[in-house]
Amino acid sequence: MNALRRTWEHFEEGFIAFLLAAMTLVTFVYVVLNNLYSVFYSLGDNWPAASEPMFAIGDGIMGMAQAMTWSSSLTKALFGWLIFFGLSYGVRTAGHIGVDALVKLASKPVQRLIGVIACLCCLAYAGLLAVASYEWINTLMIAEIGAEDLGHFGIMQWHVGLIVPVGFALVFIRFAEILVRILMNRQTGLGLADEAAEAIKLTEIEEDKP
């Protein structure tokens, strides 16, 4: 079980890195192509002897840039996948900001009780949205509507939106794990990020530097 968990966590991190890299690469290529053809047109204007090949190269690059009208839609789709896939990763790594200044003033049993209630609310929220978004995806599957600027590649709207129910299902699983740990007295709250504590820790590190 531990090996399976580590495998999933490594996949989670690797997939997020892949989405970031793909978004960056697609955007970079599109920007380069949209600015590169003008360079060859300028060379053709200033170098009459080589104007014909320069213009031909410029035309070719412009054609590739115009053919990449799908890049914006693909980047938005990848960004959507990054957001919803990253939700559960944020829960696992305590990346979401917690507002619990008053909660920490209470005793440990009260903190555990508040943690259980908060966790149940998060489970209800994630479960509700997972079910609702699944019904939405099921409707898109029946409609068979192509994704914007990506339909000619065979990518449908439900392919892009599939990450929504999957993402909330993963969030549900993460909060279920947190609830189990709270009930087993292994933690008291949701384990969210504490910006104040992080700021104090960074200040102490800076003060300790020579």
Side-chain angles (χ1 to χ4, degrees):
M1 182 61 72
N2 289 333
L4 182 62
R5 176 187 292 274
R6 286 195 297 270
T7 300
W8 169 253
E9 290 177 354
H10 287 316
F11 168 78
E12 198 174 36
E13 295 166 357
F15 190 61
I16 289 173
F18 165 76
L19 291 174
L20 284 169
M23 286 171 54
T24 304
L25 180 61
V26 170
T27 304
F28 173 77
V29 171
Y30 184 66
V31 171
V32 168
L33 290 177
N34 271 281
N35 289 276
L36 189 59
Y37 65 82
S38 60
V39 174
F40 287 94
Y41 286 152
S42 297
L43 288 174
D45 289 334
N46 297 319
W47 190 9
S51 61
E52 187 173 341
M54 290 297 104
F55 289 152
I57 294 174
D59 290 340
I61 296 175
M62 178 182 285
M64 288 188 289
Q66 292 175 340
M68 282 189 69
T69 53
W70 48 264
S71 62
S72 178
S73 296
L74 179 59
T75 302
K76 288 188 289 186
L78 291 172
F79 186 63
W81 273 68
L82 177 65
I83 290 173
F84 286 99
F85 194 83
L87 285 174
S88 63
Y89 179 76
V91 175
R92 176 172 73 85
T93 59
H96 298 293
I97 298 174
V99 183
D100 55 358
L102 294 177
V103 176
K104 290 184 177 180
L105 297 177
S107 61
K108 290 294 182 181
V110 174
Q111 288 186 33
R112 286 186 62 248
L113 177 61
I114 296 175
V116 169
I117 295 173
C119 199
L120 290 174
C121 291
C122 292
L123 284 170
Y125 175 78
L128 178 64
L129 288 181
V131 172
S133 58
Y134 170 77
E135 294 176 354
W136 168 59
I137 290 299
N138 192 45
T139 303
L140 289 179
M141 289 177 65
I142 296 172
E144 294 185 349
I145 302 172
E148 180 185 1
D149 292 331
L150 298 173
H152 57 283
F153 294 112
I155 300 176
M156 313 302 288
Q157 284 189 5
W158 73 269
H159 291 149
V160 178
L162 183 62
I163 190 58
V164 180
V166 170
F168 280 113
L170 293 174
V171 170
F172 185 91
I173 293 172
R174 290 299 184 189
F175 277 113
E177 293 175 344
I178 292 174
L179 180 60
V180 171
R181 288 198 295 269
I182 293 175
L183 295 176
M184 294 176 64
N185 290 323
R186 291 168 57 187
Q187 70 182 70
T188 55
L190 299 182
L192 302 179
D194 189 334
E195 285 193 323
E198 292 295 330
I200 293 173
K201 188 181 297 184
L202 289 173
T203 301
E204 292 174 349
I205 293 173
E206 290 296 327
E207 290 177 350
D208 291 339
K209 287 182 179 180

